[in-house]
């Protein structure tokens, strides 16, 4: 299959995603509303005929050579190597690979840099060999993240980066993985702001929150926490009660957000984002004070809505802003928080 004297380089580019609403419910059977945005990641792959993978990226520390079957070891290259091993197991590629990664997506910012790297590597390795569609790529990427990397994430990020289209919002029902795309109204500006506070999903807090949700669902006798009723949560004790309250109310907010998108009700959508942030802060307990201040100022300075996005504990906020007020809003926010960066 490979000609190592003159190896073919295959390349794929995948964007990042921002989640507009439906946070921490993609393993609870809720509807999530992510959309893809620039920046993106580009992965180039070429067979090197050896038994090691050689991976490099200008954005990351120098990577040692790894045997083609080496396990994950909490290294940035794990995401690439997990995908290479998946591709080798399916005979999409043979032998070791030379891989180059160029990423403009900040890591640990809640924008799915890991899902984007995995999906881009899978796309590059499958090009020309495998008849694989977006859903299948997303399921493969989730399997790699869950089993090779060891992060028990849901399916939102992989589906978002594999299926998203510019200017469209993906409405994904995570109880059965059905989805449809909605237009983002032209007069809406989605702004993503990096707080400068980084976190890692593999630091254990993600797993703890997820397990609390699964425990709540089991205690309530439902398959998915989002399908329980708020009244039924009376029997739960803390912190399970709070987690259930978040998941059930967030699922309801997602459904209302779809209506707000369909009717181009920007202020209504903004209100829902603000409620989501309060719930993530008080009930899911995944925000941090620096982010709460940033969200409060973003709203106070005139955004229709703002909230922490992604897994939380730092990273980015997403805000909905009137395009006519965008520049003055951003200047005022930057003045109060000089270390923030606008990502999109
Ligand atoms: C991370 C996970 C997703 C999802 C979000 C929170 O991005 O990878 O599966 O759970 O956190 O909404």
């Amino acid at each position: 299959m490979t000609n190592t004297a003159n190896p073919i380089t295959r390349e794929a580019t995948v964007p990042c995603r921002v989640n507009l609403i439906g946070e921490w419910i993609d393993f609870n059977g809720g509807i999530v509303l992510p959309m893809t945005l620039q920046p993106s990641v580009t992965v180039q792959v070429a067979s090197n005929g050896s038994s090691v993978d050689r991976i490099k990226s200008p954005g990351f520390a120098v990577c040692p050579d790894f045997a083609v079957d080496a396990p994950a070891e909490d290294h940035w290259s794990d995401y690439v190597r997990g995908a290479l091993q998946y591709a080798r197991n399916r005979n999409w590629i043979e032998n070791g690979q030379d891989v180059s990664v160029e990423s403009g997506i900040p890591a640990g910012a809640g924008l799915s840099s890991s899902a984007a790297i995995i999906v881009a590597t899978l796309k590059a390795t499958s090009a020309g060999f495998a008849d694989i569609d977006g859903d299948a790529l997303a399921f493969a990427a989730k399997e790699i993240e869950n089993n090779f990397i060891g992060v028990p994430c849901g399916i939102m990020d992989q589906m978002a980066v594999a299926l998203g289209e510019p200017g469209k919002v993906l409405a994904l029902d995570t109880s059965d993985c059905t989805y449809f795309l909605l237009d983002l109204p032209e007069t809406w500006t989605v702004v993503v702001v990096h707080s400068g506070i980084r976190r890692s999903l593999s630091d254990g807090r993600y797993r703890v929150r997820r397990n609390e949700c699964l425990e709540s669902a089991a205690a309530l006798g439902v398959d998915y926490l989002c399908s329980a009723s708020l009244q039924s949560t009376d029997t739960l004790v803390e912190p399970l009660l709070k987690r259930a309250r978040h998941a059930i109310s967030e699922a309801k907010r997602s459904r209302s957000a779809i209506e707000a998108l369909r009717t181009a009700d920007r202020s209504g959508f903004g209100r829902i984002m603000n409620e989501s942030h309060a719930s993530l802060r008080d009930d899911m307990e995944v925000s941090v004070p620096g982010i709460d201040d940033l969200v409060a100022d973003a709203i106070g300075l005139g955004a229709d809505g703002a909230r922490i996005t992604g897994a939380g504990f730092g990273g980015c906020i997403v805000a909905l802003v009137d395009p006519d007020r965008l520049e003055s809003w951003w200047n005022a926010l930057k003045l109060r928080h000089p270390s923030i960066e606008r990502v999109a």
Side-chain angles (χ1 to χ4, degrees), residues 17 19 22-27 32 110-112 114-115 142 145 151-158 199 201 206 210 246 280 307 309-312:
R17 70 100 185 91
N19 190 21
E23 209 68 87
W24 282 90
I25 55 172
D26 66 336
F27 49 82
V32 296
L111 301 178
S112 288
S114 38
K142 178 175 184 289
E145 194 141 349
V151 172
C153 61
I155 188 66
M156 168 172 73
D157 303 349
Q158 298 78 7
R199 58 100 192 102
L201 273 201
Y206 185 88
R210 179 179 186 274
H246 169 73
L280 289 160
R307 55 182 286 276
T309 187

Side-chain angles (χ1 to χ4, degrees), residues 14-18 20 33-38 123 134-135 157-171 179-184:
V14 170
C16 70
R17 70 100 185 91
V18 67
L20 298 184
L33 296 182
M35 67 181 296
T36 51
L37 289 175
Q38 291 304 318
K123 272 189 164 177
D135 300 40
D157 303 349
Q158 298 78 7
M159 292 289 265
V161 301
L163 298 163
E165 290 177 21
K168 309 253 183 202
V169 180
L170 179 75
Y179 57 86
F180 53 90
L181 290 163
L182 284 154
D183 288 320
L184 186 77

Side-chain angles (χ1 to χ4, degrees), residues 190-210:
V190 171
V191 183
V192 180
V193 180
H194 197 327
S195 65
I197 307 166
R198 270 196 66 172
R199 58 100 192 102
S200 157
L201 273 201
S202 54
D203 70 8
R205 287 178 288 186
Y206 185 88
R207 185 183 295 274
V208 170
R209 291 292 184 283
R210 179 179 186 274

Side-chain angles (χ1 to χ4, degrees), residues 3 13 16 21 34 38 78 87 100 114 124 156 159 189 277 309 331:
N3 171 1
T13 297
C16 70
I21 199 88
Q38 291 304 318
D78 290 353
S100 153
S114 38
M156 168 172 73
M159 292 289 265
T189 310
H277 183 77
T309 187
N331 290 340

